[in-house]
Amino acid sequence: MNNIEHKLFIAAPTVINIQGRSRLIAKIQSEEWVRDLWYEVPECYGQYLCHERSDAFLVGVLSYAMRNHLDVECEAPVGEELLYQLRTYFIPALARNAGDLYETKIIANVDTHPIENAKGVGTGISCGVDSLHAVALHAACECPNQRLTHLVLNNVGSFWAHKEQRQWQIEHAKEFCNQFGFKLIVTDSNYADVIQLNHGLTHIFSSAFCILALQKLWRVYYYGSTYDFSRFSLEGNDKHDPGGKPGYPHHHHGHFSLRLRLRG
């Protein structure tokens, strides 16, 4: 174990199978605590969990690291394009336009090899206006490679203390997918328990955690937003809700074979 003073250490991810579910898991260690962070999908999607890289976990802990003035060290490598964009654009831009965000340094080896994907096209299905707008735009898209194949219902913060609401949305999402012919992926995670931050301020990072965890499935992933880029701003991004004043360039979480697109 390397010296973890003033940093987070992300151990190499692994995949384990538990009662019909596949779980991508990595140990996260700081000076004060050690926690297992995991993301779980039905076992039939386990083959698409990306255990070869630290990508998902790096982005998942990034807001916590910047807010707590910590660097991040990864045992497993990070995809080249993701690492380049985080270091060169994303982290410096957030730090410069915030009152108290540290410009986190990333200590990681670079993986230059593209990761093959199953050419899935996905978006979230919370059954809210934003997600349904993204679905409506791409359900019958005239460009076949951009047409939705999967809808995803994650659990990384918005449902953490609302189990009944989550179950209600699972049932409605199943009904919607059955009616319109989409494949539904219901996932689970302990993200909100490990990364204890305000979900409204950090949901871009938690959502990217989920997308990159399953990156071997996705060719394209649409992220629903209340607003479009005409309202884009990074000013005071450590204090404002990205949903009310969008300030995060979602495409900076992209890499060689996956494209993330903001829809609003």
Side-chain angles (χ1 to χ4, degrees), residues 1-13 26-30 53-55 57-59 61-62 65 70-78 83 87 91 102 104-109:
M1 177 67 66
N2 292 322
N3 184 355
I4 59 168
E5 185 177 358
H6 305 306
K7 67 184 177 186
L8 295 177
F9 178 80
I10 304 173
K27 190 174 297 295
I28 313 295
Q29 183 170 1
S30 75
R53 293 178 175 174
S54 297
D55 294 6
F57 297 93
L58 169 59
V59 175
V61 305
L62 187 55
L70 300 171
D71 295 324
V72 179
E73 181 176 357
C74 303
E75 182 177 12
V78 177
L83 187 59
R87 283 174 169 170
I91 294 173
Y102 169 66
T104 290
K105 308 299 186 296
I106 301 171
I107 305 159
N109 292 323

mmCIF file of all heavy atoms in Angstrom, residues 1-13 26-30 53-55 57-59 61-62 65 70-78 83 87 91 102 104-109:
data_model
loop_
_atom_site.group_PDB
_atom_site.id
_atom_site.type_symbol
_atom_site.label_atom_id
_atom_site.label_comp_id
_atom_site.label_asym_id
_atom_site.label_seq_id
_atom_site.Cartn_x
_atom_site.Cartn_y
_atom_site.Cartn_z
ATOM 1 N N MET A 1 0.846 -1.198 0.000
ATOM 2 C CA MET A 1 0.000 0.000 0.000
ATOM 3 C C MET A 1 0.878 1.244 0.000
ATOM 4 O O MET A 1 1.813 1.353 0.775
ATOM 5 C CB MET A 1 -0.915 -0.007 1.217
ATOM 6 C CG MET A 1 -1.789 1.239 1.344
ATOM 7 S SD MET A 1 -3.016 1.351 0.031
ATOM 8 C CE MET A 1 -4.039 -0.073 0.446
ATOM 9 N N ASN A 2 0.611 2.154 -0.907
ATOM 10 C CA ASN A 2 1.367 3.388 -0.979
ATOM 11 C C ASN A 2 0.945 4.345 0.129
ATOM 12 O O ASN A 2 -0.095 4.171 0.761
ATOM 13 C CB ASN A 2 1.167 4.046 -2.347
ATOM 14 C CG ASN A 2 1.809 3.244 -3.470
ATOM 15 O OD1 ASN A 2 2.879 2.686 -3.287
ATOM 16 N ND2 ASN A 2 1.147 3.174 -4.607
ATOM 17 N N ASN A 3 1.751 5.380 0.333
ATOM 18 C CA ASN A 3 1.437 6.416 1.305
ATOM 19 C C ASN A 3 0.141 7.111 0.897
ATOM 20 O O ASN A 3 0.010 7.607 -0.226
ATOM 21 C CB ASN A 3 2.592 7.418 1.349
ATOM 22 C CG ASN A 3 2.379 8.467 2.422
ATOM 23 O OD1 ASN A 3 1.343 8.520 3.078
ATOM 24 N ND2 ASN A 3 3.389 9.299 2.597
ATOM 25 N N ILE A 4 -0.850 7.167 1.784
ATOM 26 C CA ILE A 4 -2.153 7.745 1.418
ATOM 27 C C ILE A 4 -2.394 9.086 2.102
ATOM 28 O O ILE A 4 -3.523 9.548 2.202
ATOM 29 C CB ILE A 4 -3.304 6.777 1.761
ATOM 30 C CG1 ILE A 4 -3.317 6.457 3.266
ATOM 31 C CG2 ILE A 4 -3.230 5.528 0.922
ATOM 32 C CD1 ILE A 4 -4.581 5.759 3.711
ATOM 33 N N GLU A 5 -1.317 9.740 2.531
ATOM 34 C CA GLU A 5 -1.476 11.047 3.167
ATOM 35 C C GLU A 5 -2.028 12.053 2.159
ATOM 36 O O GLU A 5 -1.508 12.207 1.059
ATOM 37 C CB GLU A 5 -0.133 11.525 3.705
ATOM 38 C CG GLU A 5 -0.227 12.829 4.485
ATOM 39 C CD GLU A 5 1.105 13.240 5.069
ATOM 40 O OE1 GLU A 5 2.090 12.493 4.890
ATOM 41 O OE2 GLU A 5 1.162 14.309 5.704
ATOM 42 N N HIS A 6 -3.119 12.711 2.535
ATOM 43 C CA HIS A 6 -3.752 13.752 1.720
ATOM 44 C C HIS A 6 -4.228 13.228 0.365
ATOM 45 O O HIS A 6 -4.190 13.947 -0.634
ATOM 46 C CB HIS A 6 -2.817 14.939 1.505
ATOM 47 C CG HIS A 6 -2.306 15.538 2.776
ATOM 48 N ND1 HIS A 6 -3.151 15.959 3.795
ATOM 49 C CD2 HIS A 6 -1.041 15.776 3.200
ATOM 50 C CE1 HIS A 6 -2.423 16.434 4.787
ATOM 51 N NE2 HIS A 6 -1.144 16.325 4.468
ATOM 52 N N LYS A 7 -4.674 11.973 0.331
ATOM 53 C CA LYS A 7 -5.205 11.470 -0.928
ATOM 54 C C LYS A 7 -6.157 10.305 -0.699
ATOM 55 O O LYS A 7 -6.230 9.734 0.398
ATOM 56 C CB LYS A 7 -4.093 11.062 -1.882
ATOM 57 C CG LYS A 7 -3.264 9.862 -1.449
ATOM 58 C CD LYS A 7 -2.121 9.637 -2.458
ATOM 59 C CE LYS A 7 -1.221 8.482 -2.000
ATOM 60 N NZ LYS A 7 -0.048 8.336 -2.875
ATOM 61 N N LEU A 8 -6.901 9.971 -1.742
ATOM 62 C CA LEU A 8 -7.707 8.768 -1.785
ATOM 63 C C LEU A 8 -6.978 7.731 -2.622
ATOM 64 O O LEU A 8 -6.412 8.066 -3.671
ATOM 65 C CB LEU A 8 -9.075 9.047 -2.419
ATOM 66 C CG LEU A 8 -10.026 9.985 -1.690
ATOM 67 C CD1 LEU A 8 -11.292 10.196 -2.517
ATOM 68 C CD2 LEU A 8 -10.386 9.440 -0.314
ATOM 69 N N PHE A 9 -6.999 6.492 -2.169
ATOM 70 C CA PHE A 9 -6.402 5.392 -2.924
ATOM 71 C C PHE A 9 -7.519 4.472 -3.386
ATOM 72 O O PHE A 9 -8.341 4.011 -2.583
ATOM 73 C CB PHE A 9 -5.399 4.616 -2.070
ATOM 74 C CG PHE A 9 -4.790 3.441 -2.793
ATOM 75 C CD1 PHE A 9 -3.752 3.640 -3.693
ATOM 76 C CD2 PHE A 9 -5.261 2.156 -2.585
ATOM 77 C CE1 PHE A 9 -3.193 2.567 -4.380
ATOM 78 C CE2 PHE A 9 -4.716 1.079 -3.262
ATOM 79 C CZ PHE A 9 -3.672 1.282 -4.157
ATOM 80 N N ILE A 10 -7.573 4.201 -4.705
ATOM 81 C CA ILE A 10 -8.582 3.317 -5.283
ATOM 82 C C ILE A 10 -7.919 2.009 -5.669
ATOM 83 O O ILE A 10 -7.063 1.964 -6.568
ATOM 84 C CB ILE A 10 -9.235 3.950 -6.533
ATOM 85 C CG1 ILE A 10 -9.842 5.311 -6.193
ATOM 86 C CG2 ILE A 10 -10.278 3.015 -7.120
ATOM 87 C CD1 ILE A 10 -10.356 6.069 -7.407
ATOM 88 N N ALA A 11 -8.272 0.930 -4.981
ATOM 89 C CA ALA A 11 -7.722 -0.380 -5.310
ATOM 90 C C ALA A 11 -8.295 -0.866 -6.644
ATOM 91 O O ALA A 11 -9.326 -0.368 -7.119
ATOM 92 C CB ALA A 11 -8.044 -1.373 -4.204
ATOM 93 N N ALA A 12 -7.630 -1.832 -7.251
ATOM 94 C CA ALA A 12 -8.079 -2.348 -8.539
ATOM 95 C C ALA A 12 -9.482 -2.945 -8.412
ATOM 96 O O ALA A 12 -9.749 -3.738 -7.496
ATOM 97 C CB ALA A 12 -7.112 -3.405 -9.048
ATOM 98 N N PRO A 13 -10.400 -2.588 -9.310
ATOM 99 C CA PRO A 13 -11.765 -3.128 -9.234
ATOM 100 C C PRO A 13 -11.801 -4.624 -9.533
ATOM 101 O O PRO A 13 -10.962 -5.156 -10.269
ATOM 102 C CB PRO A 13 -12.514 -2.340 -10.321
ATOM 103 C CG PRO A 13 -11.668 -1.146 -10.611
ATOM 104 C CD PRO A 13 -10.253 -1.587 -10.377
ATOM 105 N N ALA A 26 -14.638 -1.868 -5.650
ATOM 106 C CA ALA A 26 -13.266 -1.435 -5.415
ATOM 107 C C ALA A 26 -13.169 -0.863 -4.007
ATOM 108 O O ALA A 26 -14.093 -0.201 -3.528
ATOM 109 C CB ALA A 26 -12.829 -0.391 -6.436
ATOM 110 N N LYS A 27 -12.042 -1.099 -3.383
ATOM 111 C CA LYS A 27 -11.802 -0.563 -2.043
ATOM 112 C C LYS A 27 -11.266 0.863 -2.171
ATOM 113 O O LYS A 27 -10.319 1.124 -2.915
ATOM 114 C CB LYS A 27 -10.819 -1.450 -1.284
ATOM 115 C CG LYS A 27 -10.689 -1.110 0.195
ATOM 116 C CD LYS A 27 -9.810 -2.118 0.906
ATOM 117 C CE LYS A 27 -10.402 -3.525 0.887
ATOM 118 N NZ LYS A 27 -11.666 -3.618 1.656
ATOM 119 N N ILE A 28 -11.900 1.783 -1.448
ATOM 120 C CA ILE A 28 -11.479 3.178 -1.426
ATOM 121 C C ILE A 28 -10.901 3.470 -0.049
ATOM 122 O O ILE A 28 -11.550 3.202 0.966
ATOM 123 C CB ILE A 28 -12.658 4.134 -1.705
ATOM 124 C CG1 ILE A 28 -13.484 3.673 -2.912
ATOM 125 C CG2 ILE A 28 -12.146 5.565 -1.876
ATOM 126 C CD1 ILE A 28 -12.756 3.695 -4.214
ATOM 127 N N GLN A 29 -9.691 4.020 -0.009
ATOM 128 C CA GLN A 29 -9.034 4.275 1.281
ATOM 129 C C GLN A 29 -8.569 5.726 1.371
ATOM 130 O O GLN A 29 -7.983 6.272 0.441
ATOM 131 C CB GLN A 29 -7.828 3.353 1.460
ATOM 132 C CG GLN A 29 -7.144 3.505 2.814
ATOM 133 C CD GLN A 29 -6.106 2.440 3.073
ATOM 134 O OE1 GLN A 29 -5.870 1.578 2.229
ATOM 135 N NE2 GLN A 29 -5.476 2.499 4.234
ATOM 136 N N SER A 30 -8.884 6.336 2.505
ATOM 137 C CA SER A 30 -8.358 7.669 2.825
ATOM 138 C C SER A 30 -7.523 7.555 4.090
ATOM 139 O O SER A 30 -7.328 6.463 4.626
ATOM 140 C CB SER A 30 -9.506 8.665 3.032
ATOM 141 O OG SER A 30 -10.129 8.456 4.289
ATOM 142 N N ARG A 53 -10.266 -1.132 -15.619
ATOM 143 C CA ARG A 53 -9.838 0.243 -15.410
ATOM 144 C C ARG A 53 -10.461 0.819 -14.137
ATOM 145 O O ARG A 53 -11.486 0.335 -13.659
ATOM 146 C CB ARG A 53 -10.263 1.114 -16.596
ATOM 147 C CG ARG A 53 -9.574 0.818 -17.907
ATOM 148 C CD ARG A 53 -10.137 1.730 -18.979
ATOM 149 N NE ARG A 53 -9.448 1.576 -20.249
ATOM 150 C CZ ARG A 53 -9.818 2.180 -21.375
ATOM 151 N NH1 ARG A 53 -10.877 2.990 -21.362
ATOM 152 N NH2 ARG A 53 -9.144 1.998 -22.486
ATOM 153 N N SER A 54 -9.868 1.911 -13.685
ATOM 154 C CA SER A 54 -10.397 2.640 -12.524
ATOM 155 C C SER A 54 -11.374 3.733 -12.919
ATOM 156 O O SER A 54 -11.827 4.492 -12.054
ATOM 157 C CB SER A 54 -9.241 3.273 -11.736
ATOM 158 O OG SER A 54 -8.370 2.299 -11.215
ATOM 159 N N ASP A 55 -11.717 3.834 -14.200
ATOM 160 C CA ASP A 55 -12.472 4.973 -14.727
ATOM 161 C C ASP A 55 -13.672 5.353 -13.875
ATOM 162 O O ASP A 55 -13.834 6.505 -13.465
ATOM 163 C CB ASP A 55 -12.961 4.671 -16.150
ATOM 164 C CG ASP A 55 -11.833 4.535 -17.155
ATOM 165 O OD1 ASP A 55 -10.651 4.554 -16.757
ATOM 166 O OD2 ASP A 55 -12.136 4.395 -18.357
ATOM 167 N N PHE A 57 -14.628 4.551 -10.826
ATOM 168 C CA PHE A 57 -14.368 4.897 -9.432
ATOM 169 C C PHE A 57 -13.638 6.241 -9.320
ATOM 170 O O PHE A 57 -13.883 7.007 -8.388
ATOM 171 C CB PHE A 57 -13.586 3.780 -8.754
ATOM 172 C CG PHE A 57 -14.368 2.496 -8.699
ATOM 173 C CD1 PHE A 57 -14.237 1.545 -9.699
ATOM 174 C CD2 PHE A 57 -15.267 2.257 -7.666
ATOM 175 C CE1 PHE A 57 -14.980 0.368 -9.665
ATOM 176 C CE2 PHE A 57 -16.014 1.089 -7.618
ATOM 177 C CZ PHE A 57 -15.868 0.145 -8.625
ATOM 178 N N LEU A 58 -12.758 6.517 -10.274
ATOM 179 C CA LEU A 58 -12.071 7.808 -10.282
ATOM 180 C C LEU A 58 -13.069 8.951 -10.402
ATOM 181 O O LEU A 58 -13.049 9.905 -9.616
ATOM 182 C CB LEU A 58 -11.061 7.858 -11.432
ATOM 183 C CG LEU A 58 -10.438 9.223 -11.734
ATOM 184 C CD1 LEU A 58 -9.693 9.771 -10.522
ATOM 185 C CD2 LEU A 58 -9.512 9.123 -12.944
ATOM 186 N N VAL A 59 -13.953 8.873 -11.389
ATOM 187 C CA VAL A 59 -14.951 9.929 -11.558
ATOM 188 C C VAL A 59 -15.916 9.946 -10.374
ATOM 189 O O VAL A 59 -16.336 11.006 -9.912
ATOM 190 C CB VAL A 59 -15.712 9.746 -12.883
ATOM 191 C CG1 VAL A 59 -16.846 10.762 -13.010
ATOM 192 C CG2 VAL A 59 -14.756 9.892 -14.068
ATOM 193 N N VAL A 61 -15.377 9.352 -7.214
ATOM 194 C CA VAL A 61 -14.840 9.980 -5.992
ATOM 195 C C VAL A 61 -14.329 11.392 -6.222
ATOM 196 O O VAL A 61 -13.920 12.071 -5.281
ATOM 197 C CB VAL A 61 -13.698 9.132 -5.370
ATOM 198 C CG1 VAL A 61 -14.158 7.710 -5.101
ATOM 199 C CG2 VAL A 61 -12.440 9.154 -6.236
ATOM 200 N N LEU A 62 -14.354 11.856 -7.475
ATOM 201 C CA LEU A 62 -13.667 13.099 -7.808
ATOM 202 C C LEU A 62 -14.229 14.316 -7.072
ATOM 203 O O LEU A 62 -13.469 15.147 -6.556
ATOM 204 C CB LEU A 62 -13.723 13.332 -9.321
ATOM 205 C CG LEU A 62 -12.913 14.511 -9.849
ATOM 206 C CD1 LEU A 62 -11.450 14.413 -9.428
ATOM 207 C CD2 LEU A 62 -13.025 14.575 -11.376
ATOM 208 N N ALA A 65 -13.078 14.254 -3.544
ATOM 209 C CA ALA A 65 -11.662 14.585 -3.436
ATOM 210 C C ALA A 65 -11.439 16.088 -3.566
ATOM 211 O O ALA A 65 -10.687 16.696 -2.782
ATOM 212 C CB ALA A 65 -10.867 13.836 -4.496
ATOM 213 N N LEU A 70 -8.063 16.589 -1.647
ATOM 214 C CA LEU A 70 -7.336 15.331 -1.703
ATOM 215 C C LEU A 70 -6.929 15.016 -3.139
ATOM 216 O O LEU A 70 -7.659 15.323 -4.092
ATOM 217 C CB LEU A 70 -8.205 14.176 -1.189
ATOM 218 C CG LEU A 70 -8.702 14.270 0.252
ATOM 219 C CD1 LEU A 70 -9.724 13.176 0.531
ATOM 220 C CD2 LEU A 70 -7.537 14.179 1.229
ATOM 221 N N ASP A 71 -5.778 14.381 -3.310
ATOM 222 C CA ASP A 71 -5.407 13.806 -4.590
ATOM 223 C C ASP A 71 -5.991 12.401 -4.677
ATOM 224 O O ASP A 71 -6.483 11.852 -3.682
ATOM 225 C CB ASP A 71 -3.889 13.779 -4.741
ATOM 226 C CG ASP A 71 -3.285 15.181 -4.787
ATOM 227 O OD1 ASP A 71 -3.930 16.085 -5.357
ATOM 228 O OD2 ASP A 71 -2.168 15.375 -4.239
ATOM 229 N N VAL A 72 -5.929 11.800 -5.859
ATOM 230 C CA VAL A 72 -6.472 10.462 -6.055
ATOM 231 C C VAL A 72 -5.427 9.587 -6.732
ATOM 232 O O VAL A 72 -4.874 9.961 -7.781
ATOM 233 C CB VAL A 72 -7.756 10.481 -6.919
ATOM 234 C CG1 VAL A 72 -8.276 9.054 -7.109
ATOM 235 C CG2 VAL A 72 -8.832 11.349 -6.281
ATOM 236 N N GLU A 73 -5.156 8.432 -6.137
ATOM 237 C CA GLU A 73 -4.243 7.454 -6.729
ATOM 238 C C GLU A 73 -5.017 6.196 -7.092
ATOM 239 O O GLU A 73 -5.805 5.683 -6.283
ATOM 240 C CB GLU A 73 -3.112 7.105 -5.756
ATOM 241 C CG GLU A 73 -2.124 6.111 -6.334
ATOM 242 C CD GLU A 73 -0.948 5.837 -5.415
ATOM 243 O OE1 GLU A 73 -0.868 6.473 -4.342
ATOM 244 O OE2 GLU A 73 -0.110 4.975 -5.762
ATOM 245 N N CYS A 74 -4.791 5.694 -8.297
ATOM 246 C CA CYS A 74 -5.524 4.526 -8.801
ATOM 247 C C CYS A 74 -4.560 3.353 -8.998
ATOM 248 O O CYS A 74 -3.526 3.506 -9.665
ATOM 249 C CB CYS A 74 -6.195 4.839 -10.132
ATOM 250 S SG CYS A 74 -7.315 6.251 -10.094
ATOM 251 N N GLU A 75 -4.906 2.203 -8.467
ATOM 252 C CA GLU A 75 -4.082 1.016 -8.674
ATOM 253 C C GLU A 75 -4.217 0.505 -10.100
ATOM 254 O O GLU A 75 -3.222 0.150 -10.735
ATOM 255 C CB GLU A 75 -4.470 -0.080 -7.677
ATOM 256 C CG GLU A 75 -3.615 -1.330 -7.807
ATOM 257 C CD GLU A 75 -3.948 -2.380 -6.761
ATOM 258 O OE1 GLU A 75 -4.985 -2.246 -6.080
ATOM 259 O OE2 GLU A 75 -3.179 -3.348 -6.637
ATOM 260 N N ALA A 76 -5.439 0.432 -10.612
ATOM 261 C CA ALA A 76 -5.680 0.025 -11.993
ATOM 262 C C ALA A 76 -5.549 1.247 -12.899
ATOM 263 O O ALA A 76 -5.752 2.385 -12.461
ATOM 264 C CB ALA A 76 -7.066 -0.599 -12.130
ATOM 265 N N PRO A 77 -5.229 1.046 -14.179
ATOM 266 C CA PRO A 77 -5.044 2.187 -15.079
ATOM 267 C C PRO A 77 -6.344 2.924 -15.372
ATOM 268 O O PRO A 77 -7.436 2.447 -15.053
ATOM 269 C CB PRO A 77 -4.482 1.543 -16.350
ATOM 270 C CG PRO A 77 -4.968 0.130 -16.309
ATOM 271 C CD PRO A 77 -4.984 -0.243 -14.854
ATOM 272 N N VAL A 78 -6.204 4.080 -16.002
ATOM 273 C CA VAL A 78 -7.335 4.911 -16.412
ATOM 274 C C VAL A 78 -7.257 5.105 -17.920
ATOM 275 O O VAL A 78 -6.162 5.244 -18.483
ATOM 276 C CB VAL A 78 -7.313 6.275 -15.698
ATOM 277 C CG1 VAL A 78 -8.460 7.165 -16.176
ATOM 278 C CG2 VAL A 78 -7.378 6.083 -14.187
ATOM 279 N N LEU A 83 -8.535 10.331 -18.809
ATOM 280 C CA LEU A 83 -7.500 10.906 -17.945
ATOM 281 C C LEU A 83 -7.020 12.245 -18.488
ATOM 282 O O LEU A 83 -6.852 13.215 -17.729
ATOM 283 C CB LEU A 83 -6.328 9.927 -17.830
ATOM 284 C CG LEU A 83 -5.227 10.287 -16.834
ATOM 285 C CD1 LEU A 83 -5.791 10.408 -15.426
ATOM 286 C CD2 LEU A 83 -4.104 9.248 -16.881
ATOM 287 N N ARG A 87 -7.613 15.799 -16.416
ATOM 288 C CA ARG A 87 -6.438 16.561 -15.978
ATOM 289 C C ARG A 87 -6.330 17.910 -16.678
ATOM 290 O O ARG A 87 -5.985 18.924 -16.056
ATOM 291 C CB ARG A 87 -5.163 15.756 -16.269
ATOM 292 C CG ARG A 87 -4.870 14.630 -15.304
ATOM 293 C CD ARG A 87 -3.671 13.845 -15.800
ATOM 294 N NE ARG A 87 -3.173 12.901 -14.796
ATOM 295 C CZ ARG A 87 -2.261 11.965 -15.047
ATOM 296 N NH1 ARG A 87 -1.749 11.860 -16.271
ATOM 297 N NH2 ARG A 87 -1.857 11.145 -14.101
ATOM 298 N N ILE A 91 -10.987 19.200 -14.371
ATOM 299 C CA ILE A 91 -10.609 19.546 -13.000
ATOM 300 C C ILE A 91 -10.135 20.996 -12.888
ATOM 301 O O ILE A 91 -10.597 21.733 -12.003
ATOM 302 C CB ILE A 91 -9.547 18.565 -12.461
ATOM 303 C CG1 ILE A 91 -10.155 17.160 -12.320
ATOM 304 C CG2 ILE A 91 -8.990 19.039 -11.121
ATOM 305 C CD1 ILE A 91 -9.153 16.076 -11.950
ATOM 306 N N TYR A 102 -10.413 22.065 -4.610
ATOM 307 C CA TYR A 102 -8.987 21.802 -4.807
ATOM 308 C C TYR A 102 -8.770 21.213 -6.203
ATOM 309 O O TYR A 102 -9.569 20.422 -6.693
ATOM 310 C CB TYR A 102 -8.524 20.831 -3.731
ATOM 311 C CG TYR A 102 -7.158 20.244 -3.916
ATOM 312 C CD1 TYR A 102 -6.013 21.044 -3.852
ATOM 313 C CD2 TYR A 102 -6.995 18.873 -4.128
ATOM 314 C CE1 TYR A 102 -4.751 20.497 -3.999
ATOM 315 C CE2 TYR A 102 -5.732 18.310 -4.271
ATOM 316 C CZ TYR A 102 -4.614 19.132 -4.213
ATOM 317 O OH TYR A 102 -3.363 18.590 -4.358
ATOM 318 N N THR A 104 -7.492 18.675 -7.791
ATOM 319 C CA THR A 104 -7.043 17.327 -7.461
ATOM 320 C C THR A 104 -6.059 16.792 -8.502
ATOM 321 O O THR A 104 -6.285 16.897 -9.711
ATOM 322 C CB THR A 104 -8.257 16.387 -7.363
ATOM 323 O OG1 THR A 104 -9.013 16.731 -6.198
ATOM 324 C CG2 THR A 104 -7.837 14.928 -7.274
ATOM 325 N N LYS A 105 -4.961 16.206 -8.028
ATOM 326 C CA LYS A 105 -3.999 15.538 -8.895
ATOM 327 C C LYS A 105 -4.360 14.050 -8.986
ATOM 328 O O LYS A 105 -4.712 13.432 -7.981
ATOM 329 C CB LYS A 105 -2.584 15.679 -8.345
ATOM 330 C CG LYS A 105 -2.153 17.108 -8.009
ATOM 331 C CD LYS A 105 -2.159 18.014 -9.227
ATOM 332 C CE LYS A 105 -1.586 19.383 -8.906
ATOM 333 N NZ LYS A 105 -2.399 20.134 -7.902
ATOM 334 N N ILE A 106 -4.272 13.506 -10.182
ATOM 335 C CA ILE A 106 -4.574 12.092 -10.404
ATOM 336 C C ILE A 106 -3.274 11.338 -10.631
ATOM 337 O O ILE A 106 -2.491 11.682 -11.526
ATOM 338 C CB ILE A 106 -5.498 11.903 -11.615
ATOM 339 C CG1 ILE A 106 -6.818 12.651 -11.408
ATOM 340 C CG2 ILE A 106 -5.761 10.410 -11.855
ATOM 341 C CD1 ILE A 106 -7.698 12.689 -12.640
ATOM 342 N N ILE A 107 -3.046 10.324 -9.827
ATOM 343 C CA ILE A 107 -1.860 9.481 -9.936
ATOM 344 C C ILE A 107 -2.326 8.131 -10.481
ATOM 345 O O ILE A 107 -2.991 7.355 -9.781
ATOM 346 C CB ILE A 107 -1.183 9.302 -8.571
ATOM 347 C CG1 ILE A 107 -0.875 10.666 -7.945
ATOM 348 C CG2 ILE A 107 0.080 8.457 -8.691
ATOM 349 C CD1 ILE A 107 -0.684 10.624 -6.454
ATOM 350 N N ALA A 108 -2.029 7.866 -11.753
ATOM 351 C CA ALA A 108 -2.535 6.650 -12.384
ATOM 352 C C ALA A 108 -1.751 6.338 -13.641
ATOM 353 O O ALA A 108 -1.243 7.246 -14.314
ATOM 354 C CB ALA A 108 -4.012 6.811 -12.737
ATOM 355 N N ASN A 109 -1.663 5.060 -13.969
ATOM 356 C CA ASN A 109 -1.124 4.649 -15.256
ATOM 357 C C ASN A 109 -2.181 4.853 -16.337
ATOM 358 O O ASN A 109 -3.383 4.857 -16.058
ATOM 359 C CB ASN A 109 -0.694 3.183 -15.215
ATOM 360 C CG ASN A 109 0.501 2.958 -14.307
ATOM 361 O OD1 ASN A 109 1.407 3.799 -14.244
ATOM 362 N ND2 ASN A 109 0.512 1.841 -13.594
#
